[in-house]
Amino acid sequence: MSLLNKKEYNFLKEDERFTNKRLALLTYGGSHAYGTNNKGSDIDLRGIYLPTKQEILSMTYEEKPFTDKITDTVIYPLKQIVELLCNCNPNTIEILGTREEDIFAINDIGKILRENAYVFLSQKAYDSFNGYAVSQLRRLQNAIARDSLAQPDKEEHILQSIKRRMDTFEISYKDICDGELNLYIDDTDREGYDKEIYIDINLKNYPLRDLRSMLGEMNETVKQYGKLNHRNNKKDEPHLYKHAMHLIRLMMMGIDILEGKGINTYRKEKDFLLDIRHGKYSFDEIFEITNEYDRKFREAKNHTDLPKYVDMNKVNELIAEINLQIVNE
């Protein structure tokens, strides 16, 4: 029996959002899309549905995704997914890069979106893919090491994560010159700490809102470390290895985008990724792998031909073409 013929997926035939050619695209998500699935892996579906002629003409768009928890299906309305794609959001950009054989449904507009996926690619891929992945992997490293590392070394982990997050600030905030904002570790009198992260700020005529947002992002990194639970035990290892695998996969995908290789959701490195998932590499080896991919990602960012931001004129032209096609049907 075809997957979509199972009764759990009857909503695809009954919900008006997916009938009358409104389902633009439906494809694998998750491990089946990446090629990292095991025998018992859940099936996730991801897709895009289109607005009606009435919604376009009256500007009353649906803006929330359809979610079915039983089948792990998420289908985004066109308006919302375009906004996410323009930010190179990993969870949505991957929908446009799955293999042809992993597509369950597609119409002419779905083909147009996939053929024009390059319109949504920019240097924001560094922030959205690497910024998140490295931050998470550093948190994982800190969680695993928290029983064995001295407090100053743990503080160093946090500092490095903050600095990597700062690498993405130039995309969102006014530039900061060398020496205007410095982070470093020094002795402290704070109870429970031998060393602490300090900041020196020497800014003039700098937008207050930008500074506030940057400090907020730094603070969020510190808070996330504080939220980590003690997970360094055997029963949690499968989860940690799986988490590490997917974060390294994100780095691989982001590097492809910045190097001009397009959106490659299904990974040719799937055997290597599965080895990570199955614990064939120690965590020390995984962190060495992370450092190498981090280096490659920085190099790709420094040499990419992608624009700093998406060209909204091209995006708007594409969406206008799609909307016109819907209205004229």
Side-chain angles (χ1 to χ4, degrees), residues 29 35 51 77 123 134 138 217 255 271 307 309 315:
Q123 293 180 34
V134 172
R138 296 306 178 200
E217 288 197 42
I255 290 170
D271 291 336
Y309 308 103
V315 172

Side-chain angles (χ1 to χ4, degrees), residues 235-246:
K235 71 177 182 179
D236 284 320
E237 282 190 358
H239 172 85
L240 295 176
Y241 280 121
K242 180 180 178 181
H243 189 52
M245 175 197 71
H246 281 302

Side-chain angles (χ1 to χ4, degrees), residues 164-222:
R164 283 178 171 81
R165 192 157 185 170
M166 289 174 65
D167 286 340
T168 67
F169 284 179
E170 64 183 43
I171 296 175
S172 304
Y173 309 120
K174 182 180 177 182
D175 289 343
I176 292 179
C177 299
D178 290 341
E180 290 184 330
L181 194 156
N182 293 313
L183 289 170
Y184 57 95
I185 292 177
D186 205 346
D187 296 335
T188 180
D189 294 328
R190 187 182 298 273
E191 185 177 354
Y193 289 75
D194 297 317
K195 301 284 185 177
E196 185 173 6
I197 299 171
Y198 289 87
I199 184 170
D200 291 341
I201 301 176
N202 183 26
L203 295 171
K204 293 183 179 180
N205 194 34
Y206 195 83
L208 175 62
R209 290 176 178 84
D210 281 9
L211 179 61
R212 178 184 177 186
S213 296
M214 286 191 298
L215 293 175
E217 288 197 42
M218 295 181 199
N219 184 55
E220 182 63 25
T221 301
V222 176

Side-chain angles (χ1 to χ4, degrees), residues 262-284:
I263 306 167
N264 299 303
T265 306
Y266 189 87
R267 300 311 309 174
K268 65 181 184 296
E269 311 92 341
K270 59 185 179 65
D271 291 336
F272 168 63
L273 290 168
L274 285 170
D275 283 345
I276 293 175
R277 177 175 185 170
H278 297 149
K280 293 185 179 180
Y281 292 89
S282 69
F283 284 114
D284 284 342

Side-chain angles (χ1 to χ4, degrees), residues 77-140:
L78 180 64
K79 184 178 187 298
Q80 183 195 38
I81 202 168
V82 166
E83 294 173 355
L84 293 169
L85 292 172
C86 286
N87 286 306
C88 217
N89 175 273
N91 292 329
T92 54
I93 206 80
E94 66 183 34
I95 297 173
L96 301 183
T98 53
R99 300 183 304 173
E100 295 290 333
E101 56 263 44
D102 291 335
I103 296 174
F104 290 87
I106 189 169
N107 64 14
D108 289 343
I109 292 176
K111 293 177 182 177
I112 290 173
L113 286 168
R114 283 174 62 91
E115 290 168 0
N116 290 273
Y118 66 90
V119 171
F120 301 106
L121 302 184
S122 72
Q123 293 180 34
K124 281 196 171 184
Y126 183 83
D127 189 1
S128 57
F129 282 84
N130 194 52
Y132 173 78
V134 172
S135 175
Q136 290 290 303
L137 281 162
R138 296 306 178 200
R139 288 177 59 204
L140 175 60

Side-chain angles (χ1 to χ4, degrees), residues 48-51 55 59-64 76-86 319 323:
I48 305 169
Y49 70 90
L50 304 173
E55 286 175 328
M59 297 182 67
T60 55
Y61 295 100
E62 177 74 38
E63 296 187 0
K64 293 183 179 180
Y76 297 87
L78 180 64
K79 184 178 187 298
Q80 183 195 38
I81 202 168
V82 166
E83 294 173 355
L84 293 169
L85 292 172
C86 286
I319 301 308
N323 286 339

